[in-house]
Amino acid sequence: MSVRIRRLETRDKAAWLKLFKGYIAFYKATVADDVIEATWQRLLAGGEGFHIALVAVNESDMPVGIAHVLFHRSTWSPTWYCYLEDLYVEPSLRAGGIGEALIQATYVEADARGATRTYWATQEFNYRARGLYDKVATKSPFVQYRR
């Protein structure tokens, strides 16, 4: 399948919502509808300290994958860091290069902003995605703690 990566647009809402809810379900999580709507608004707004959204689109310009990317300052660097918060591809289209294309597009966005680190997290059990991640990045030795 041939895909193109572009920025999220208002007309993508229904397709984006389906993909984002699929992502949430994959991790067996729940996110309130008002939070999902706030996320949609933030993605469209962009700007410093906010997310940008990239979508992989098929030949019909329909989103088949999403990447939500946050640029933030760091206490360890005078530059920006790039956090790939959400990455999801339509399950029936996985292992076809769409996830890698979204990561590469994220790298392009990071480079354009002079970000000195691009990073993301996934759950230990996400072996299929981790196979891709091992090809395009270096696994960090850090363990994440949460409150």
Side-chain angles (χ1 to χ4, degrees):
M1 165 181 259
S2 173
V3 297
R4 179 175 58 88
I5 308 299
R6 65 168 170 77
R7 289 288 185 92
L8 183 71
E9 298 175 3
T10 305
R11 65 189 167 105
D12 298 325
K13 187 168 186 179
W16 171 85
L17 187 60
K18 180 180 178 211
L19 291 164
F20 191 49
K21 285 186 173 186
Y23 175 75
I24 293 165
F26 174 80
Y27 282 109
K28 298 176 177 55
T30 56
V31 177
D33 288 341
D34 62 325
V35 175
I36 292 172
E37 180 59 28
T39 298
W40 170 254
Q41 295 300 324
R42 289 179 190 146
L43 293 171
L44 290 178
E48 186 172 329
F50 287 93
H51 291 85
I52 65 166
L54 302 171
V55 290
V57 295
N58 63 18
E59 299 85 3
S60 301
D61 203 39
M62 286 297 301
V64 295
I66 56 174
H68 299 155
V69 181
L70 176 67
F71 292 92
H72 65 88
R73 296 290 189 177
S74 168
T75 59
W76 288 28
S77 173
T79 66
W80 292 90
Y81 280 1
C82 174
Y83 175 46
L84 175 55
E85 186 168 5
D86 307 319
L87 178 69
Y88 185 77
V89 173
E90 173 65 41
S92 65
L93 301 176
R94 292 185 183 154
I98 298 170
E100 184 169 359
L102 284 163
I103 291 170
Q104 294 301 330
T106 299
Y107 287 162
V108 168
E109 294 283 345
D111 292 347
R113 289 170 174 75
T116 54
R117 177 177 295 170
T118 300
Y119 68 101
W120 60 90
T122 193
Q123 289 185 325
E124 187 72 28
F125 71 79
N126 195 0
Y127 298 109
R128 189 170 192 183
R130 288 179 57 203
L132 167 61
Y133 302 160
D134 288 342
K135 287 181 6 185
V136 300
T138 303
K139 184 175 175 267
S140 159
F142 283 89
V143 175
Q144 184 184 55
Y145 290 86
R146 294 181 180 180
R147 175 182 166 203

